[in-house]
């Protein structure tokens, strides 16, 4: 076995049906009593339900969390937190709300408790992507990591089928890139494989039976593991492309990850044979071919396969390619503009991924 370095991010995780009811006790444990609740406009009712668990004992509710964490929204949220005298933040939602909670916490020092309602996985990472003036920048710092994560499967039972699928594939993407990360290690590889196995199986089941509590619990478990991978090793082409596409063209986060993932894997395929085997071993119907396995899984999930379906224009393909190669970053295969452009074109068109770039 080759030498490696393994870092584990400190995090307190509470997992299980009904665990959100432990929020008042968790606040007492950290000696906080005036949390600011965060949500998107679409999830106000879930945030209000959390407020009921707290018997109305919270500083306020900020419900303008927005995709890609725009800095102007964060500034308004920080000002509101200050005006209410909040001593902590509680985010209820997916990546948009969790991202806002991270942005507030790292700027103010307020303790962050998060209750994920999707499978984004960002709740267990010290990574924050923020958008300003049409560009999304990502940074990593221990102050960004939420202090407590409460995984209550009951909060995911009403997650729409379409978002269930794309949110889950978004989580799978974290594990896929972890399998060939420059600073990967055997521990993360185990977490990545188990996370993909749990999510791939449960997502296929949830398309048929979206109310299956057992399948949703398994998906939440898989998302936790995949998110942990994202938080412990570096990402490469796939995540860089998705940040480019999302931040610059305002494309939805999870759907973009879902479309790009098999194409980014196919691009890197010639340089990552070991990772491809590990992934193929845990993807149903892969027949030993990880790229094929992802294509099959996405077909089962009935998700959108083309960026044009998300509103991206064909004339934006060249701009996206230019942005994607404008800053150097590590990737197992050299990042070449023409090949990346073709990758983006295929993703735009909704073609099946092929390892022939």
């Amino acid at each position: 076995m080759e030498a490696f370095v393994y870092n584990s991010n400190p995090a307190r995780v509470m997992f299980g049906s009904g665990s959100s009811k432990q929020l008042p006790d968790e606040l007492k444990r950290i000696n906080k009593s005036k949390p600011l609740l965060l949500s998107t406009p679409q999830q106000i009712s879930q945030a209000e339900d959390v407020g009921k668990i707290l018997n109305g004992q919270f500083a306020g509710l900020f419900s303008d969390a927005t995709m890609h964490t725009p800095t102007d929204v964060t500034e308004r949220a920080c000002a509101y937190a200050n005006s209410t005298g909040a001593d902590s933040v509680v985010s209820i939602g997916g990546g948009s709300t969790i991202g806002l909670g991270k942005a507030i916490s790292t700027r103010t020092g307020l303790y962050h408790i998060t209750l994920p309602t999707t499978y984004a996985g960002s709740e267990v990472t010290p990574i924050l992507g923020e958008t300003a003036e049409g560009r999304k920048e990502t940074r990593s710092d221990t102050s960004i990591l939420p202090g407590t994560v409460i995984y209550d499967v009951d909060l995911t039972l009403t997650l729409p089928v379409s978002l269930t699928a794309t949110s889950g594939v978004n989580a799978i993407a974290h594990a896929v890139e972890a399998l060939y990360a420059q600073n990967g290690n055997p521990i993360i590889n185990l977490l990545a494989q188990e996370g993909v196995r749990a999510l791939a199986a449960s997502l296929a089941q949830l398309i048929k039976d979206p109310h299956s509590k057992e399948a949703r619990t398994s998906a939440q478990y898989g998302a936790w593991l995949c998110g942990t991978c994202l938080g412990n090793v570096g990402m490469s082409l796939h995540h860089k492309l998705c940040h480019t596409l999302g931040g610059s063209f305002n494309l939805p986060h999870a759907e973009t990850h879902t479309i790009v993932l098999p194409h980014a894997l196919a691009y890197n395929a010639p340089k990552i044979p070991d990772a491809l085997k590990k992934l193929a071993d845990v993807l149903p119907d892969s027949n030993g071919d990880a790229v094929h396995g992802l294509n099959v899984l996405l077909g089962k999930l009935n998700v959108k396969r083309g960026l044009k379906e998300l509103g991206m224009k064909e004339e934006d393909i060249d701009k996206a390619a230019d942005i994607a190669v404008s800053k150097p970053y590590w990737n197992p295969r050299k990042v070449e503009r023409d090949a990346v452009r073709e990758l983006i074109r295929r993703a735009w068109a909704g073609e099946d991924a092929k390892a022939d770039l």
Side-chain angles (χ1 to χ4, degrees):
M1 182 178 294
E2 295 182 3
F4 64 89
V5 174
Y6 172 68
N7 290 308
S8 179
N9 290 319
R12 177 174 168 84
V13 174
M14 304 164 71
F15 191 100
S17 176
S19 55
S20 59
K21 295 176 181 177
Q22 299 177 45
L23 178 58
D25 291 336
E26 182 63 11
L27 286 165
K28 288 180 182 177
R29 185 188 71 84
I30 59 175
N31 197 30
K32 306 297 181 184
S33 60
K34 292 186 65 179
L36 173 65
L37 307 185
L38 306 174
S39 78
T40 61
Q42 296 77 26
Q43 290 187 286
I44 291 176
S45 61
Q46 281 189 301
E48 290 174 340
D49 288 342
V50 171
K52 292 174 184 176
I53 293 173
L54 296 171
N55 294 316
Q57 301 300 306
F58 57 95
L61 168 58
F62 185 90
S63 59
D64 288 340
T66 305
M67 183 173 64
H68 304 306
T69 320
T71 54
D72 61 318
V73 174
T74 298
E75 290 166 2
R76 287 196 288 112
C78 287
Y80 182 63
N82 183 59
S83 70
T84 61
D87 62 7
S88 53
V89 290
V90 175
S91 58
I92 307 101
S96 298
T97 309
I98 295 167
L100 178 60
K102 289 177 168 182
I104 295 171
S105 179
T106 192
R107 284 168 168 80
T108 64
L110 295 178
Y111 193 92
H112 182 192
I113 299 174
T114 182
L115 288 79
T117 63
T118 70
Y119 308 122
S122 62
E123 63 274 1
V124 286
T125 77
I127 302 167
L128 174 62
E130 298 181 285
T131 304
E133 298 178 353
R135 288 292 183 99
K136 189 170 185 177
E137 299 291 339
T138 302
R139 61 191 175 99
S140 180
D141 189 275
T142 54
S143 68
I144 294 170
L145 184 73
T148 302
V149 182
I150 301 178
Y151 285 111
D152 186 345
V153 67
D154 299 346
L155 298 180
T156 71
L157 296 178
T158 58
L159 188 66
V161 172
S162 59
L163 185 53
T164 293
T166 56
S167 175
V169 178
N170 180 17
I172 287 174
H174 307 330
V176 169
E177 286 222 304
L179 284 171
Y180 54 79
Q182 185 179 28
N183 57 340
N185 60 73
I187 308 304
I188 290 299
N189 287 347
L190 290 172
L191 295 180
Q193 285 186 285
E194 175 66 1
V196 172
R197 183 202 62 75
L199 271 165
S202 56
L203 291 176
Q205 184 178 346
L206 286 170
I207 293 299
K208 302 174 183 177
D209 181 11
H211 302 296
S212 170
K213 198 167 184 177
E214 180 181 359
R216 288 209 176 271
T217 299
S218 180
Q220 199 169 50
Y221 162 71
W224 172 16
L225 298 183
C226 291
T228 300
C229 294
L230 173 65
N232 282 278
V233 297
M235 297 287 109
S236 45
L237 178 64
H238 169 79
H239 280 75
K240 299 296 184 182
L241 273 180
C242 290
H243 285 165
T244 293
L245 295 165
S248 299
F249 305 103
N250 199 36
L251 302 184
H253 183 82
E255 290 88 340
T256 301
H257 274 270
T258 298
I259 291 169
V260 171
L261 179 59
H263 297 282
L265 182 68
Y267 181 97
N268 283 324
K271 299 295 184 179
I272 54 170
D274 290 343
L276 288 174
K277 182 180 184 307
K278 288 183 174 69
L279 186 57
D281 287 346
V282 292
L283 280 173
D285 305 311
S286 71
N287 296 325
D289 182 337
V291 175
H292 172 73
L294 279 178
N295 283 329
V296 171
L297 177 61
L298 297 188
K300 287 182 180 179
L301 299 183
N302 298 318
V303 293
K304 293 177 180 177
R305 299 296 302 275
L307 295 173
K308 63 181 179 181
E309 297 178 73
L310 305 183
M312 183 178 177
K313 299 175 181 178
E314 186 172 11
E315 55 263 34
D316 288 334
I317 294 173
D318 282 300
K319 180 180 177 182
D322 290 339
I323 297 173
V325 302
S326 62
K327 292 183 179 179
Y329 51 86
W330 184 88
N331 190 64
R333 175 183 169 184
K334 184 178 179 181
V335 178
E336 299 172 312
R337 199 268 183 192
D338 289 347
V340 167
R341 187 202 183 279
E342 175 59 12
L343 184 166
I344 296 171
R345 188 205 63 77
R346 292 179 182 185
W348 176 84
E351 299 174 6
D352 267 359
K354 295 182 292 184
D356 62 352
L357 287 170

